[in-house]
Amino acid sequence: MANIRDIAQMAGVSVTTVSRVINNHPYVSEEKREAVIQAMEKVNYQVNRTAVNLSQGKTHLIGVVVPFARHPYFGLLIEGVAKQAMERHYHFVLIQTNYEGSREWEALNMLKHKQIDALIICSRTLALDEIERYQQYGAIVVCENATGNQYVDSVYIDHYQSFTDALTYLHQHGYQQIGYCIGRQSGSNSYFRHQAYQDFLKRYPQQEFIFTDNYYFEDGQKIVDEIMQLRVKPDALLVSCDIVAAGIFTAVQNIGIEIPNDLALIGFDNQPMSKMMGITTFEVPIVTMGERLFIHALGEAETSHEKLAVTLIERKTV
Amino acid sequence: MANIRDIAQMAGVSVTTVSRVINNHPYVSEEKREAVIQAMEKVNYQVNRTAVNLSQGKTHLIGVVVPFARHPYFGLLIEGVAKQAMERHYHFVLIQTNYEGSREWEALNMLKHKQIDALIICSRTLALDEIERYQQYGAIVVCENATGNQYVDSVYIDHYQSFTDALTYLHQHGYQQIGYCIGRQSGSNSYFRHQAYQDFLKRYPQQEFIFTDNYYFEDGQKIVDEIMQLRVKPDALLVSCDIVAAGIFTAVQNIGIEIPNDLALIGFDNQPMSKMMGITTFEVPIVTMGERLFIHALGEAETSHEKLAVTLIERKTV
DNA sequence: TTGTAGGCGTTATCAC
DNA sequence: GTGATAACGCCTACAA
């Protein structure tokens, strides 16, 4: 494959001139430009991006860390990132961690080794102060409330507030035994939601119902099975993601539990599926969040920490 | 940031020696190795992968082209690719095309510009002979029957056969008005399925029912709406992906259509969701397919074209 | 076992 | 306008 020197020789100019025409820089006469273009076309010249990267000290690549790539929530987040990446002529390396710390380290090391320019961590298991240290190698953005942290940027929604709003809404509609379903128990976002739940329980004492490790549609069945084992059952459920809510909605139909009379449901994210099933949910601007994460990764955001608003969509499950 | 030369100087050795210890090459005395390691630790030395890439002419990166990253089918495919990539210390750049040709060109150009070593095309809209030409820049693997093509590798399942099997199975169970639901009409895999359907109709004449542009759960509702408009309705549906079948299954419950009596359903892929809902489906080894795609991309496959087997999982919707 | 020197393909800084 | 030439950071004959 021809390189820039070959082209220079063929066109009878210097590599500088060739570089200028490649990058549309000024100060090159029309004849020489023409000659260079001729030469490039003749041998089907293509720039080697690796060389450009080395020379510029940039890769035009950012890393995106997700626990599960095929979860609808992260799917939308990725979509947002991809959208901005494309517009700005960037690409991204997807790193699925399954919440294994070693994979997160690997992503961090890619930053260290200059394989990527910046890193977006959509969800993490490593401690934030471990992650912070890698900020010296490139921008790091997390998708959780990291307000006050001076090393990493963050884009997030106020999970405490939205959970509180949802609980209050259910309470106002007369529900008295409210539980919630979530993915993992640990994690920053889960923490805020749990806090909201605990604070709500202080105001309106009732039994606690928490269902954990729920990520996918089929986990809805699992939750319903668990509920059926209970002597005292919840009469309303806050479900951290729509697809699980849809699973509950479906699983419940065969066993004579009526929604919303016997059981109310509030989902999160406003995935298309919840619309079709008429599930009351919170609209979370996930795609926008992905886009903003990317903007922060490029260091083009005005503020370090950015909160996005959510809105309740009232449908038929409350 | 320190480079290999700095380390060499600090340790009082040559860059060659440093390179040797970095890459665990033989022929370096214990003392020198120790000195180098000391120096590296002292300044927290990290290799610059871009430089390694340029020097070796490899990026250790492969491109993965999908139309929609958050579709469950492609999600599983990506999972398979990711699995192998991790084991072999590769990473991958995800390119979502939305079936826009320009995005596919972009992926092809990444190969040309040596930003990636190889390219996996999970689904395409560009013509295969356009794609073929880029094979000179790196291995290209497609996820469709490309038997006989000498430029690109392929990993695929026999859609003609599985569709034929499914149609026959439905026929044997007494269904007489069989239709099918699919994503896009064009595309190689769709072509084979359509052929199977046409050939079946020749053997057992009946009205034709084809529902296109169905990708997600909510499209099930769309299909059911369309069916309700029909004077003559299908009594069985072959659905090219489980999630759509699940959507149909759900949409049908409110309008008094009984499954499988009024309408039989056969899905594809055996996604967890179909298990939960008891949907009869074909088990397609999607994750394995992703893994094999990766192996082919690395040029480590024994044959150029590889067919994977599918099996029918009988459940309650036929 | 070790080191020298050239190469990988660009970009960027000067001087002309 | 144009062109040497030195980075960028690493690898690898080849020589010693």
Side-chain angles (χ1 to χ4, degrees):
Chain A
M1 283 208 39
N3 64 27
I4 200 172
R5 250 180 294 269
D6 300 330
I7 301 298
Q9 192 159 14
M10 290 174 64
V13 300
S14 72
V15 292
T16 309
T17 302
V18 178
S19 179
R20 286 208 181 91
V21 354
I22 291 173
N23 300 294
N24 279 318
H25 284 172
Y27 305 129
V28 33
S29 69
E30 215 30 73
E31 316 131 61
K32 299 217 171 184
R33 157 167 285 120
E34 207 43 59
V36 169
I37 291 175
Q38 291 288 325
M40 294 200 300
E41 280 177 355
K42 183 169 174 195
V43 298
N44 186 25
Y45 168 78
Q46 300 299 332
V47 301
N48 180 322
R49 296 291 310 177
T50 306
V52 177
N53 291 346
L54 177 61
S55 186
Q56 298 187 150
K58 288 179 60 176
T59 62
H60 291 273
L61 229 46
I62 66 158
V64 179
V65 166
V66 294
F68 319 109
R70 48 181 248 269
H71 187 279
Y73 171 80
F74 295 107
L76 285 173
L77 222 40
I78 290 168
E79 191 136 308
V81 171
K83 200 168 158 188
Q84 281 301 317
M86 199 198 48
E87 283 182 18
R88 289 151 191 273
H89 301 292
Y90 261 73
H91 289 282
F92 67 92
V93 173
L94 189 67
I95 299 134
Q96 179 174 91
T97 64
N98 300 319
Y99 281 131
E100 289 167 33
S102 59
R103 310 258 183 115
E104 290 180 28
W105 284 121
E106 200 180 324
L108 258 5
N109 280 327
M110 287 185 77
L111 195 60
K112 205 183 207 174
H113 294 159
K114 296 193 178 304
Q115 291 189 88
I116 52 180
D117 292 343
L119 189 60
I120 292 173
I121 301 180
C122 296
S123 188
R124 65 182 167 83
T125 175
L126 257 36
L128 204 50
D129 36 316
E130 307 256 40
I131 292 173
E132 275 173 16
R133 296 205 198 101
Y134 284 73
Q135 177 265 2
Q136 57 180 299
Y137 305 113
I140 298 178
V141 195
V142 297
C143 191
E144 65 186 79
N145 188 340
T147 313
N149 189 304
Q150 55 183 315
Y151 300 109
V152 305
D153 273 27
S154 69
V155 180
Y156 63 97
I157 71 164
D158 190 337
H159 285 289
Y160 183 91
Q161 191 59 53
S162 60
F163 238 54
T164 301
D165 290 350
L167 290 163
T168 307
Y169 180 80
L170 287 169
H171 181 259
Q172 285 167 349
H173 280 70
Y175 295 96
Q176 312 250 359
Q177 301 286 330
I178 308 174
Y180 79 89
C181 311
I182 201 155
R184 53 185 192 149
Q185 275 188 84
S186 54
S188 161
N189 293 339
S190 299
Y191 170 79
F192 285 113
R193 299 202 246 217
H194 188 65
Q195 279 306 312
Y197 187 66
Q198 294 300 339
D199 291 349
F200 176 81
L201 256 50
K202 269 186 209 132
R203 276 190 292 149
Y204 307 105
Q206 57 145 87
Q207 188 180 324
E208 180 177 292
F209 301 96
I210 303 177
F211 303 89
T212 59
D213 296 315
N214 304 111
Y215 300 96
Y216 297 102
F217 187 86
E218 55 273 20
D219 291 321
Q221 180 71 61
K222 195 184 72 186
I223 292 168
V224 172
D225 290 345
E226 285 176 42
I227 287 178
M228 295 316 285
Q229 303 287 328
L230 263 34
R231 216 166 48 76
V232 180
K233 299 185 190 350
D235 61 2
L237 245 28
L238 221 54
V239 190
S240 69
C241 103
D242 279 341
I243 195 169
V244 175
I248 296 174
F249 192 94
T250 301
V252 122
Q253 300 197 314
N254 311 314
I255 54 172
I257 291 184
E258 296 253 314
I259 288 178
N261 292 339
D262 304 329
L263 184 69
L265 242 36
I266 294 186
F268 268 85
D269 299 352
N270 193 26
Q271 299 265 358
M273 192 182 254
S274 68
K275 184 174 183 189
M276 170 181 155
M277 296 176 112
I279 296 173
T280 295
T281 189
F282 276 89
E283 155 86 36
V284 180
I286 310 179
V287 174
T288 304
M289 196 145 63
E291 295 192 53
R292 297 302 306 167
L293 284 166
F294 187 87
I295 304 293
H296 280 259
L298 249 51
E300 294 179 1
E302 312 71 31
T303 60
S304 298
H305 303 282
E306 182 175 349
K307 179 159 77 175
L308 265 35
V310 305
T311 34
L312 180 67
I313 313 257
E314 301 188 68
R315 290 202 268 247
K316 300 179 308 190
T317 55
V318 175
Chain B
M1 286 209 37
N3 63 28
I4 200 172
R5 252 180 297 270
D6 300 330
I7 300 298
Q9 191 160 14
M10 290 174 63
V13 299
S14 71
V15 291
T16 311
T17 303
V18 177
S19 178
R20 286 208 180 91
V21 354
I22 291 172
N23 300 294
N24 278 318
H25 285 171
Y27 304 128
V28 32
S29 69
E30 216 28 74
E31 315 131 62
K32 300 216 170 186
R33 155 166 286 120
E34 208 42 60
V36 169
I37 290 174
Q38 291 289 325
M40 294 200 300
E41 280 177 355
K42 184 169 174 196
V43 299
N44 187 23
Y45 168 78
Q46 299 299 331
V47 301
N48 180 322
R49 296 291 310 176
T50 306
V52 177
N53 291 346
L54 177 60
S55 187
Q56 295 186 151
K58 288 180 60 176
T59 63
H60 292 274
L61 228 46
I62 66 159
V64 179
V65 166
V66 294
F68 319 110
R70 47 182 247 269
H71 188 280
Y73 171 80
F74 296 107
L76 285 173
L77 221 41
I78 290 169
E79 189 137 310
V81 171
K83 201 169 159 188
Q84 282 300 318
M86 201 198 46
E87 283 183 17
R88 287 152 194 272
H89 303 291
Y90 262 73
H91 290 281
F92 66 94
V93 173
L94 189 66
I95 299 134
Q96 179 173 92
T97 65
N98 299 319
Y99 282 131
E100 289 167 32
S102 60
R103 310 258 184 115
E104 289 179 30
W105 283 121
E106 200 180 324
L108 257 7
N109 280 328
M110 287 185 77
L111 195 60
K112 206 183 204 174
H113 295 158
K114 296 194 177 304
Q115 292 188 88
I116 52 180
D117 292 342
L119 188 60
I120 293 172
I121 301 180
C122 296
S123 188
R124 65 182 167 83
T125 174
L126 257 37
L128 204 51
D129 35 319
E130 306 256 41
I131 292 173
E132 274 172 17
R133 296 205 198 100
Y134 284 74
Q135 176 264 2
Q136 56 180 300
Y137 305 113
I140 298 178
V141 196
V142 296
C143 191
E144 65 187 77
N145 188 340
T147 313
N149 190 303
Q150 54 183 315
Y151 300 110
V152 306
D153 273 28
S154 70
V155 180
Y156 63 98
I157 70 164
D158 189 337
H159 285 289
Y160 183 91
Q161 190 59 53
S162 59
F163 238 54
T164 302
D165 289 349
L167 290 163
T168 308
Y169 179 80
L170 286 169
H171 182 260
Q172 285 168 350
H173 281 70
Y175 295 97
Q176 312 250 356
Q177 301 286 331
I178 308 175
Y180 78 89
C181 311
I182 202 155
R184 53 185 192 149
Q185 273 186 84
S186 55
S188 161
N189 293 339
S190 299
Y191 171 78
F192 285 114
R193 299 201 246 214
H194 187 66
Q195 280 305 313
Y197 187 64
Q198 294 300 339
D199 290 349
F200 176 81
L201 255 51
K202 271 185 206 131
R203 275 191 291 150
Y204 307 106
Q206 55 145 89
Q207 190 182 322
E208 181 177 289
F209 301 96
I210 303 178
F211 303 89
T212 58
D213 297 314
N214 304 111
Y215 300 96
Y216 297 102
F217 187 86
E218 54 274 21
D219 292 321
Q221 180 72 60
K222 195 184 73 186
I223 292 167
V224 171
D225 290 345
E226 287 177 40
I227 287 177
M228 296 315 285
Q229 305 287 328
L230 263 34
R231 218 166 48 75
V232 180
K233 301 185 186 350
D235 61 2
L237 246 26
L238 221 53
V239 190
S240 69
C241 103
D242 279 340
I243 195 168
V244 175
I248 297 174
F249 192 94
T250 300
V252 121
Q253 300 196 314
N254 312 315
I255 54 173
I257 290 183
E258 295 254 311
I259 287 179
N261 292 340
D262 304 329
L263 184 68
L265 242 35
I266 295 187
F268 268 85
D269 300 352
N270 194 26
Q271 299 265 359
M273 192 182 254
S274 67
K275 184 175 183 190
M276 170 181 154
M277 295 177 110
I279 297 173
T280 295
T281 190
F282 276 89
E283 154 88 36
V284 179
I286 311 179
V287 174
T288 304
M289 197 143 64
E291 296 193 53
R292 297 303 304 169
L293 283 166
F294 187 87
I295 304 292
H296 281 259
L298 251 50
E300 294 180 358
E302 312 71 32
T303 59
S304 298
H305 303 283
E306 182 174 348
K307 178 160 79 177
L308 265 34
V310 305
T311 34
L312 180 67
I313 314 257
E314 301 188 69
R315 291 202 267 247
K316 300 180 308 192
T317 54
V318 174

